[in-house]
Amino acid sequence: MNKTLSKPQHIRIVRESLYAGVFVVLLLWLTLPFNVETIHDGRPLFFFAQGAITIVVSIITGLFTTYVLHKPLDPTLPLKTIHRNSVVMYLVNIPVLAFVLTVFGGFFFCNNNPIEPWWHGGELHLTYYSEYIYYVSVTCIFLYIGTYVRNRNWHLNYQLDEVRAINALLEKRQEKIAESEETHDEKGGENLCHLVGNANNATFEVLPSTIIYVESMANYADICYMDGDNPAHKTLRITLKQIREKLEGMDSFVQCHRAFIVNLNFVVAMSNRNTGYQLHLFGTDKCIPVSRTNTAAVKEKLSS
């Protein structure tokens, strides 16, 4: 299990469960459902017990939804997916919580007999359970409004933190490059990279350090590189996989998207847009998208 993902998931589940428990206690205190006004000495205990049950059951169903149904509250997922997974958690939670509360209610309303809400007079009765299903469902509707807002803010904050962390790594990388240029720290002549196209024996020779990015366009690839002080483009009938194999072993290159390979030495900043992360490159106005699945690879390359 990926610990870096499980930790925010666990914290999120616990927090949402605590919100639910507190909300239930306040709601019961204000509305007094289930003829609870008839309880006098045990009323506070009843309220807090219902809240505690809500917290425990919500944590259990949240973990069940995350690891059994594979519907986690993972900040690396798209926001729509997080909202959908939250709905699934509530749908799983409603019948389970209603069942536990019905059993617990038997202690207060049925002379300490948790079976009586289900079975009396020799027959199965679901009246109490149906009542709890109704109340829990209505409560969850109000709770989900808060969850929806928190999901959005949580997801946005996670993205902002990740962008800040990657930009900090980019700054360090640019400082190292600048220091290397100032001290003229050269490791010897750089070998040309020979790219052979799949049609008409087309070839292209280029220094890897001058490549800014490579974009896949169907069966072709657009290679953007520095020709002296100006960016230039070369189009070859070649796959991105073939180019990636040619550049394999060079630490500055990373595939940041299914259609892009980028030279991190030319990346000056990362930004967050509604469509996802984007890289801003020196020498070109083109913004390179970063897919969510490749964000970790970009961060790992920058950290190495």
Side-chain angles (χ1 to χ4, degrees):
M1 185 188 301
N2 192 325
K3 293 182 179 179
T4 59
L5 296 181
S6 64
K7 185 176 180 180
Q9 288 174 12
H10 291 168
I11 293 174
R12 187 83 173 110
I13 291 171
V14 171
R15 283 182 177 176
E16 286 301 312
S17 300
L18 290 172
Y19 288 138
V22 172
F23 184 81
V24 166
V25 172
L26 294 176
L27 186 65
L28 288 172
W29 216 297
L30 292 173
T31 61
L32 300 177
F34 316 114
N35 295 321
V36 76
E37 67 273 8
T38 61
I39 303 175
H40 299 288
D41 296 336
R43 187 185 297 178
L45 176 61
F46 176 79
F47 291 156
F48 287 111
Q50 296 260 310
I53 290 172
T54 300
I55 292 171
V56 173
V57 172
S58 297
I59 291 174
I60 293 173
T61 55
L63 294 174
F64 174 84
T65 306
T66 297
Y67 296 110
V68 178
L69 300 184
H70 305 292
K71 301 292 182 183
L73 296 182
D74 184 347
T76 64
L77 295 173
L79 184 56
K80 289 182 179 179
T81 303
I82 295 175
H83 286 323
R84 183 196 64 198
N85 292 351
S86 293
V87 171
V88 174
M89 285 188 179
Y90 276 109
L91 292 176
V92 172
N93 189 53
I94 289 172
V96 177
L97 181 58
F99 174 84
V100 177
L101 291 176
T102 301
V103 173
F104 181 76
F107 288 100
F108 282 86
F109 302 112
C110 303
N111 299 319
N112 294 325
N113 185 0
I115 305 301
E116 190 171 337
W118 303 93
W119 185 271
H120 62 272
E123 294 181 358
L124 177 66
H125 292 270
L126 297 177
T127 305
Y128 288 104
Y129 182 63
S130 300
E131 223 176 306
Y132 269 108
I133 284 283
Y134 170 76
Y135 282 110
V136 172
S137 298
V138 172
T139 302
C140 284
I141 291 173
F142 288 102
L143 283 170
Y144 181 73
I145 295 173
T147 299
Y148 182 91
V149 174
R150 286 190 293 273
N151 280 345
R152 185 180 59 187
N153 294 338
W154 177 60
H155 188 258
L156 179 60
N157 289 334
Y158 175 84
Q159 289 186 323
L160 290 175
D161 289 342
E162 191 165 46
V163 168
R164 290 192 192 102
I166 290 178
N167 280 332
L169 292 173
L170 286 170
E171 288 181 7
K172 290 181 180 179
R173 189 181 189 90
Q174 291 301 323
E175 288 174 1
K176 288 181 179 179
I177 293 173
E179 290 174 2
S180 176
E181 290 177 350
E182 288 178 1
T183 56
H184 304 285
D185 182 16
E186 297 182 358
K187 298 182 179 180
E190 183 181 8
N191 295 325
L192 287 169
C193 179
H194 299 269
L195 300 175
V196 181
N198 298 324
N200 301 323
N201 295 321
T203 60
F204 178 56
E205 294 183 343
V206 61
L207 290 172
S209 61
T210 64
I211 298 175
I212 303 174
Y213 69 87
V214 181
E215 179 180 4
S216 175
M217 300 181 297
N219 295 323
Y220 292 84
D222 174 33
I223 304 163
C224 179
Y225 64 101
M226 292 298 294
D227 184 9
D229 295 329
N230 299 310
H233 292 265
K234 176 67 176 180
T235 302
L236 282 179
R237 188 178 178 86
I238 189 172
T239 66
L240 204 65
K241 180 181 178 181
Q242 290 174 300
I243 295 179
R244 189 174 65 245
E245 289 174 350
K246 284 287 186 179
L247 298 175
E248 191 174 4
M250 300 180 184
D251 294 337
S252 60
F253 290 94
V254 64
Q255 184 163 353
C256 60
H257 186 272
R258 61 182 177 82
F260 287 92
I261 293 174
V262 67
N263 187 343
L264 292 174
N265 290 341
F266 284 91
V267 180
V268 294
M270 173 187 272
S271 63
N272 183 28
R273 297 289 184 269
N274 292 332
T275 55
Y277 298 143
Q278 291 183 337
L279 296 176
H280 301 269
L281 308 179
F282 174 80
T284 176
D285 294 330
K286 188 178 182 68
C287 293
I288 307 299
V290 180
S291 64
R292 299 184 189 279
T293 55
N294 288 319
T295 301
V298 173
K299 197 171 182 178
E300 183 180 352
K301 277 281 189 179
L302 289 170
S303 301
S304 60

